[in-house]
Amino acid sequence: MSNLTGALVGPGSQPEDFDGGKLEYMQLPRDMMVYSAGHIPESEDARKHAAGLVASEQILLALTKAEETGVPSRVDLIELDADNLAFVDQLLGEGEVSVVMGDVAQSQESVLAGVWRVREYDADGGRKADYAEIGAFPSVMIEQAFAGAADTVEMPQEAGPNIFNAPPLITEINEYVAREAKLGDDPHVINLSLLPHTEEDLAFLDETLGKGSLVILSRGYGNCRINATKTRNVWWVRFFNSQDTLILNSIEVCPIPSVALAAAEDIADSRERLSEILDSYR
C-alpha cells in the first residue's frame, strides 16, 4: 500500500516495452490502516469480547438494511476499547479495495464486500471518527472526492511542443463532465493505451486535469490504481500485471469507477456470510 500514488505521466506511465520508463510512486502516509485477513476468531475468544460482538451484530443489521433498501449506514466503533476493536477488525479482515484521501480519511474494504472500515482525522492527525460503513463505497469519500474541483477543464492558451492528441481529449472530457451522472452509471472511458499519444500529451493531460487527493487501490482485477483529478468526476485509472507493468491506462468520467464499488449482490453475500459467522457464536 505504500506505493499507491504514483505519477500519472512521465517515465513509467507507459509499458516498459513502449518507452522504457520505470514506475515511480510517491509514498503514502505511513500510519495507513492495514487489517489482517486472518482466521475468524474462535468462539472462546469471541465470548471475551462482548462489545465487539454487539458491534458485529449491528453491522449485520446494517447489511440487512442495505440489502433490503439499498440505503447505506454506519456502525460507530470509536468507543470500543483496543481489544474489542481488534476483535472486530480480525472478524472483518482486509478485502480488495483500499482508499486514502490525503490526511483527512482512509478506508479499507473488509473481506465482507460492501463493509468498509473508515477512519477520519482532524487537522492535528487525531482520530475523530472510526466506524464501519455498509454500502457501495464510503460516503465521506464520495462527498469529498471532488471538493473544490473544477466543473470544467480550462484549456491552456498554448499547448507546447509535441502535443497532438491531448487537446481534443480535453474537449471530449468536458462534454461528459457536463452531464449529470449517478453512482453506478456506466462511465465514459478514454482508453489511452489504444490511442496514439506522446509523453508530452500525457504530461499536458496530467497538468491540465490536476491531481486530486483521493487514491484508490483495487486488487480485485489484478492491480488497479485509481487517482482522482482536480476536475469533477474525472479519474485516472491504471491496471498493472503481476510484474507491476502497466497494461491499461485510461481516463474515466464518472462519480466513482465501478471497479471500486461493491455491488448489491456483494452486500447480499456478505450479509449471509456474516450471519453464518455470528450464528456460530450464539
Side-chain angles (χ1 to χ4, degrees):
M1 283 301 302
S2 62
N3 291 331
L4 260 174
T5 56
L8 297 174
V9 299
S13 63
Q14 300 299 304
E16 283 204 10
D17 60 357
F18 181 84
D19 68 359
K22 293 183 179 179
L23 298 168
E24 296 178 356
Y25 308 111
M26 296 185 298
Q27 295 294 313
L28 287 179
R30 294 185 180 276
D31 60 348
M32 182 179 178
M33 290 187 297
V34 176
Y35 298 104
S36 169
H39 66 278
I40 296 169
E42 298 292 339
S43 297
E44 182 178 347
D45 185 42
R47 285 192 290 271
K48 299 175 184 177
H49 297 90
L53 279 174
V54 170
S56 301
E57 293 283 359
Q58 291 172 339
I59 292 171
L60 177 59
L61 289 174
L63 276 166
T64 302
K65 176 183 176 182
E67 181 184 5
E68 294 174 349
T69 68
V71 177
S73 58
R74 297 179 181 179
V75 176
D76 191 8
L77 303 174
I78 200 164
E79 298 298 331
L80 291 181
D81 61 34
D83 285 345
N84 279 284
L85 190 60
F87 169 82
V88 173
D89 286 341
Q90 182 183 1
L91 181 65
L92 296 179
E94 178 186 358
E96 296 175 346
V97 182
S98 304
V99 191
V100 175
M101 188 165 60
D103 297 325
V104 176
Q106 53 189 229
S107 178
Q108 173 68 54
E109 188 178 33
S110 76
V111 294
L112 302 169
V115 179
W116 304 83
R117 283 289 286 109
V118 185
R119 284 181 185 154
E120 300 179 34
Y121 300 93
D122 58 29
D124 297 323
R127 186 178 54 130
K128 72 174 186 179
D130 194 342
Y131 52 90
E133 178 162 338
I134 292 78
F137 198 79
S139 57
V140 66
M141 306 294 188
I142 297 172
E143 294 162 2
Q144 297 297 319
F146 294 104
D151 289 329
T152 187
V153 187
E154 294 293 333
M155 183 76 73
Q157 291 186 346
E158 294 190 11
N162 297 321
I163 296 174
F164 303 104
N165 291 322
L169 292 181
I170 294 294
T171 301
E172 180 179 346
I173 290 168
N174 276 332
E175 176 186 348
Y176 284 89
V177 167
R179 302 181 183 185
E180 291 297 324
K182 301 190 297 294
L183 197 68
D185 285 353
D186 289 337
H188 177 69
V189 179
I190 298 173
N191 190 337
L192 298 172
S193 297
L194 297 180
L195 294 176
H197 57 263
T198 64
E199 280 292 303
E200 289 82 2
D201 277 322
L202 291 178
F204 178 86
L205 284 170
D206 182 51
E207 183 177 356
T208 306
L209 294 173
K211 293 185 178 70
S213 61
L214 188 65
V215 183
I216 305 170
L217 172 65
S218 175
R219 291 160 292 183
Y221 301 91
N223 190 356
C224 178
R225 298 184 181 110
I226 304 167
N227 292 73
T229 71
K230 284 192 175 180
T231 306
R232 181 175 59 86
N233 287 354
V234 180
W235 304 83
W236 209 301
V237 182
R238 298 169 297 161
F239 286 85
F240 298 83
N241 64 15
S242 58
Q243 285 74 46
D244 215 23
T245 298
L246 185 67
I247 58 175
L248 179 61
N249 190 14
S250 65
I251 292 172
E252 292 192 15
V253 184
C254 58
I256 301 286
S258 59
V259 67
L261 297 176
E265 53 267 29
D266 294 329
I267 291 174
D269 289 343
S270 294
R271 193 272 309 157
E272 182 177 356
R273 184 175 179 187
L274 183 57
S275 178
E276 292 173 351
I277 293 170
L278 293 180
D279 278 345
S280 69
Y281 297 152
R282 295 184 180 115

